[in-house]
Amino acid sequence: MSDPAVQVVKEIPPKAADLSAWYTAVCLKAELVSYSPVRGCVVLRPNGFGLWENLQKHLDARFKATGHENAYFPLLIPESLLMKEAEHVEGFAPEVAWVTHGGQEELTERLAIRPTSEVIIGTMYAQWVESYRDLPILINQWANVVRWEKATRPFLRTMEFLWQEGHTAHASAEEAREETLRMLDVYRDFAENVAAVPVYAGMKSANERFPGAVETFSIEALMPDGKALQSATSHDLGQNFARAYDIKFTDVDQQIKYAYTTSWGMSWRMLGAMIMAHGDDRGLRIPPKMAPVEAVFVPIVRSNDERAVAVCRELAATLGEAGFRVRVDARDQQPGWKYSEWEMKGVPIRIEIGPRDVDAGTAVVVRRDRAKGDPQQKQSVSIEMLPRILPALLDDIQRTLFKEAKAFLESHTLPASSRDEFYEMCRARAGMIDIPWCNLPQCEADVKAQTGATTRVMRELAGAGAKCVACGEPAKVNAYFAQSY
Amino acid sequence: MSDPAVQVVKEIPPKAADLSAWYTAVCLKAELVSYSPVRGCVVLRPNGFGLWENLQKHLDARFKATGHENAYFPLLIPESLLMKEAEHVEGFAPEVAWVTHGGQEELTERLAIRPTSEVIIGTMYAQWVESYRDLPILINQWANVVRWEKATRPFLRTMEFLWQEGHTAHASAEEAREETLRMLDVYRDFAENVAAVPVYAGMKSANERFPGAVETFSIEALMPDGKALQSATSHDLGQNFARAYDIKFTDVDQQIKYAYTTSWGMSWRMLGAMIMAHGDDRGLRIPPKMAPVEAVFVPIVRSNDERAVAVCRELAATLGEAGFRVRVDARDQQPGWKYSEWEMKGVPIRIEIGPRDVDAGTAVVVRRDRAKGDPQQKQSVSIEMLPRILPALLDDIQRTLFKEAKAFLESHTLPASSRDEFYEMCRARAGMIDIPWCNLPQCEADVKAQTGATTRVMRELAGAGAKCVACGEPAKVNAYFAQSY
């Protein structure tokens, strides 16, 4: 085949056959990322950074609406500071990149590149907090972090990644727990209503807890291969970090007390979940709220009739002023080639205008979320109606992508009635396996050793008196089990 | 004195007496930054980060309006890559922080924490560019960088700092030069029209060039102590980096050529320039466009009459919906204490409402840019008029701050007629000393050795046939000399 459109598509393997190969191919072909000469690190190219900017915009607005402010803390952490919280050190030491030289000089104390910032932020909070009047402190940081890592999978597993980390300090355990759950719900809301990725939100088991936390909560999405993807975490740190870093305050009752702290983070991993959840064999399908370009105009030029280019430019300018994110693709390439490229990039709406459309005052509007041949994929509309049609269309695409993903999650959330069935479903990656569970570390370790699955999140026990499906001990909670990324 | 208002103010030394002590005190007292336990690194607290967010917002909009996109490149650069551009290595090697260990493992090759990203970005551009159709590449990155540094002065001199770095690649030398000058003008426009800091923009001398550049341009502000502060740079890199990192393309004429590249950056240093230029003995004076809070409401509660609090909250909600950045300070503190605190923080407008104002439907509006006792500092206005008065008032404060700084720059831009006078003015930090200059490295070295001053930027020679005031050789350009930060 010499048709370039077909060539581009051919380079992506079918999603159903090999999700992993499809995923890597689409991340590269849609120019979201490039591999770099730095082991474990990718470059986030403009198409990928556009997704990150939209994640930032929506999440940052939610942080500010819940009273948080942004700040920035140092990248480098002296080794002696890192060592103060024992569990935390043990958890992170194997992943730390160490700076040992500055210029020609060897340092007397090594500096860690932050794998996360509890340590440096806790140290500063200890300086800033004196009285209950100084609490709560509600701060977020957008930052890069480094965790030593040999594998490289765009967004999912890289040595350096971009994220946000919220760090708060409170006067009571109740307030800290409320904050932890509030931010968990902000993440759920963002995942479902912006990234269109349905998730289960809940408490993690002790095995899956953040090093140094009292409780860890997370949101968990289900990928098309039946593996779960942890998309954000929110930690109730109790007084553990306050004790280690000496965050004390004089309370209303004049007593000096340790503060209660929380931390919570979402990284560019969320983009990986979004890509895998929605993409198809033609490439990305980006939910409109996350799309750097909501609609692309493709003018069709025939036998030197270039009027469509001017019409597209004019329409794009009008829509741009009205707040839509649009682009005109007037490059000297075949329309079919352009269609494939923009489908690959996942732009929600394509608007084709040719000479006959110019005569008729119409445009062909094509939805990226619908399959080829679906009668709702294309419609011819009056050009004048475009500004009125687009918002409803974008909204419908957003909802359709969520609905499809939600249907997948629901149809792949499955009970198991016996130990054998449960183990088999875990091994087969049947989805989120939902069982009454004992919440015992040994049971979880057995399941993991024999099936590769772990608890994703837990919730209140559905029926009193139930036995753990995995081991037969009395059940304490309901838990979703799955293999995970 | 036990008046807490006076106490706060007393902690800042007078600006005129000791600019450096004033500067450090105001940065700390206004809670822009905290010193951290990491040598050379500061924490950017929410008040300081709010300034950075406004810088980002205004600058990023200008980058996008000139066709640039954002991306993100790795923090760590393998030593062998860094070594490819000889001048660049020589310039930056003494300032590099080196990562030598990952987890327990010693690395076979050291990794530099980026002091700037020409190297890694050039390497990627070499992969991305094949044909003239792939050019220009217009990319910007918002990032942290590290340059080994023992001194710590908030915003002006820190080991880690936040900045943006633009990196572009072009098919011709002319296009690259145009880009270099376009971005220089974006910086000038931002400095003058957003940060209200007047600058001289122009070419640097060979001594002051970026390591590896063909030409460096900069914007230079003048601080109240007569020292210049370089606030942003824009570099025409010619083909130097393209040759070192192999950025080649097939041109229209089918010839394979090296691309022409540029880079340009502004850091949080710009915030330091803004703080020093505008502040006074009461603290910061933030230009409205940069102010995280444009107007603060201070309700005055007397003998349990708390109606003012509700009125302030309602007005703030209305103004907030109209797009103003406002806050209500309803803390349990004396009004005078609050006034001093918000003056320290530099909020452009304070709105005082007490019981009598509530009865009369009025508010007292106080401008931060005016001195105490200035008849224009305070006015009583009808509450209903506030939404209509505020935009003009904010605009006038923005222009007043710029006009004052501009008058200072102009009155401190001085000619020198003889070598002795020139040397003396340089030593005395008289301001921007403007002379016809030979543009010879030896002359510049002599001036620097004997006075501490350097050329800041050069411009076209004002009068033909003039002699260099510093050394008597034929003048080639006019140059501004000053000691600098």
Side-chain angles (χ1 to χ4, degrees), chain A residues 222-226 403-413:
Chain A
L222 185 64
M223 297 297 102
D225 59 357
K403 242 171 24 192
E404 286 180 12
K406 180 92 175 170
F408 176 80
L409 176 62
E410 284 173 354
S411 66
H412 290 77
T413 299

Side-chain angles (χ1 to χ4, degrees), chain A residues 32-50:
Chain A
L32 301 182
V33 297
S34 276
Y35 288 104
S36 82
V38 193
R39 197 193 64 177
C41 294
V42 295
V43 173
L44 194 57
R45 301 183 71 171
N47 290 342
F49 202 86

Side-chain angles (χ1 to χ4, degrees), chain A residues 69-300:
Chain A
E69 296 180 298
N70 288 323
Y72 187 75
F73 295 84
L75 171 75
L76 302 174
I77 303 170
E79 185 165 17
S80 57
L81 266 191
L82 200 64
M83 293 307 172
K84 287 193 181 176
E85 215 292 332
E87 278 188 37
H88 192 66
V89 174
E90 204 185 316
F92 281 106
E95 303 186 3
V96 167
W98 292 105
V99 174
T100 58
H101 290 74
Q104 311 305 334
E105 176 195 349
E106 185 168 355
L107 309 187
T108 51
E109 180 179 12
R110 301 197 296 177
L111 300 170
I113 300 184
R114 62 179 163 224
T116 178
S117 302
E118 278 74 9
V119 161
I120 184 73
I121 294 181
T123 305
M124 298 313 299
Y125 285 5
Q127 291 182 25
W128 297 344
V129 174
E130 287 178 12
S131 137
Y132 68 94
R133 287 194 194 85
D134 301 322
L135 296 172
I137 302 185
L138 305 172
I139 284 181
N140 174 63
Q141 161 171 279
W142 292 95
N144 54 342
V145 289
V146 169
R147 296 181 187 174
W148 209 255
E149 177 70 64
K150 299 199 177 182
T152 313
R153 296 199 72 189
F155 301 119
L156 302 179
R157 202 167 278 278
T158 50
M159 185 173 94
E160 182 189 8
F161 58 87
L162 297 182
W163 78 343
Q164 59 67 218
E165 45 181 325
H167 295 268
T168 68
H170 306 264
S172 75
E174 295 68 32
E175 257 190 56
R177 179 55 66 91
E178 270 171 35
E179 169 78 5
T180 308
L181 294 174
R182 182 182 303 119
M183 301 324 287
L184 182 71
D185 197 57
V186 162
Y187 289 141
R188 183 205 53 74
D189 173 46
F190 171 84
E192 300 198 334
N193 296 317
V194 181
V197 175
V199 293
Y200 290 128
M203 191 184 279
K204 307 284 292 186
S205 68
N207 274 334
E208 301 278 322
R209 224 175 259 155
F210 177 75
V214 169
E215 290 296 355
T216 286
F217 299 80
S218 75
I219 58 170
E220 304 275 334
L222 185 64
M223 297 297 102
D225 59 357
K227 284 168 79 171
L229 199 155
Q230 177 177 298
S231 307
T233 50
S234 186
H235 313 293
D236 181 346
L237 305 175
Q239 293 179 312
N240 292 348
F241 282 82
R243 283 179 202 280
Y245 296 96
D246 212 31
I247 311 173
K248 282 186 293 206
F249 69 101
T250 308
D251 206 350
V252 191
D253 60 11
Q254 295 302 315
Q255 299 293 304
I256 292 174
K257 301 177 184 174
Y258 286 107
Y260 296 81
T261 67
T262 83
S263 67
W264 28 275
M266 178 179 274
S267 78
W268 67 19
R269 205 159 205 260
M270 181 74 230
L271 301 179
M274 185 187 79
I275 291 162
M276 272 202 267
H278 302 309
D280 65 16
D281 289 352
R282 290 181 284 147
L284 296 171
R285 296 194 306 169
I286 311 284
K289 287 184 189 171
M290 286 292 286
V293 177
E294 292 169 309
V296 59
F297 283 90
V298 181
I300 298 153

Side-chain angles (χ1 to χ4, degrees), chain A residues 34-39 41-47 49-50 53 60 64 69-78 81 93-105 107 110-111 113-114 120 123-124 127-128 133 138-139 142 144 146 148 150 159-162 268 327 333, chain B residues 34-39 41-47 49-50 53 60 64 69-78 81 93-105 107 110-111 113-114 120 123-124 127-128 133 138-139 142 144 146 148 150 159-162 268 327 333:
Chain A
S34 276
Y35 288 104
S36 82
V38 193
R39 197 193 64 177
C41 294
V42 295
V43 173
L44 194 57
R45 301 183 71 171
N47 290 342
F49 202 86
E53 282 180 319
D60 201 70
K64 285 177 177 155
E69 296 180 298
N70 288 323
Y72 187 75
F73 295 84
L75 171 75
L76 302 174
I77 303 170
L81 266 191
E95 303 186 3
V96 167
W98 292 105
V99 174
T100 58
H101 290 74
Q104 311 305 334
E105 176 195 349
L107 309 187
R110 301 197 296 177
L111 300 170
I113 300 184
R114 62 179 163 224
I120 184 73
T123 305
M124 298 313 299
Q127 291 182 25
W128 297 344
R133 287 194 194 85
L138 305 172
I139 284 181
W142 292 95
N144 54 342
V146 169
W148 209 255
K150 299 199 177 182
M159 185 173 94
E160 182 189 8
F161 58 87
L162 297 182
W268 67 19
R327 196 171 290 186
Q333 299 278 11
Chain B
S34 277
Y35 288 104
S36 82
V38 193
R39 199 193 63 177
C41 294
V42 295
V43 173
L44 194 58
R45 301 183 72 171
N47 290 342
F49 203 86
E53 282 180 317
D60 201 70
K64 285 176 177 154
E69 295 179 298
N70 288 324
Y72 186 75
F73 296 84
L75 172 75
L76 301 174
I77 303 170
L81 266 191
E95 304 185 2
V96 167
W98 292 104
V99 173
T100 59
H101 290 74
Q104 312 304 335
E105 176 195 348
L107 308 187
R110 302 196 295 178
L111 299 170
I113 299 184
R114 63 181 162 222
I120 184 74
T123 304
M124 298 313 298
Q127 292 181 24
W128 296 344
R133 288 193 195 85
L138 305 172
I139 284 181
W142 292 95
N144 53 342
V146 169
W148 209 255
K150 299 199 178 181
M159 185 173 94
E160 182 189 8
F161 57 88
L162 297 182
W268 67 20
R327 195 171 292 185
Q333 299 279 10

Side-chain angles (χ1 to χ4, degrees), chain B residues 318-374:
Chain B
T318 308
L319 290 170
E321 277 164 31
F324 293 98
R325 301 187 294 276
V326 294
R327 195 171 292 185
V328 178
D329 184 353
R331 288 175 297 175
D332 183 19
Q333 299 279 10
Q334 289 300 309
W337 186 89
K338 293 183 189 177
Y339 298 167
S340 294
E341 193 184 76
W342 291 106
E343 285 178 350
M344 173 73 72
K345 290 183 178 167
V347 172
I349 292 173
R350 180 174 80 233
I351 303 171
E352 309 168 4
I353 299 182
R356 271 176 299 176
D357 295 299
V358 173
D359 292 332
T362 57
V364 176
V365 175
V366 187
R367 294 172 62 144
R368 178 64 183 89
D369 62 324
R370 303 281 170 166
K372 282 186 179 167
D374 181 326

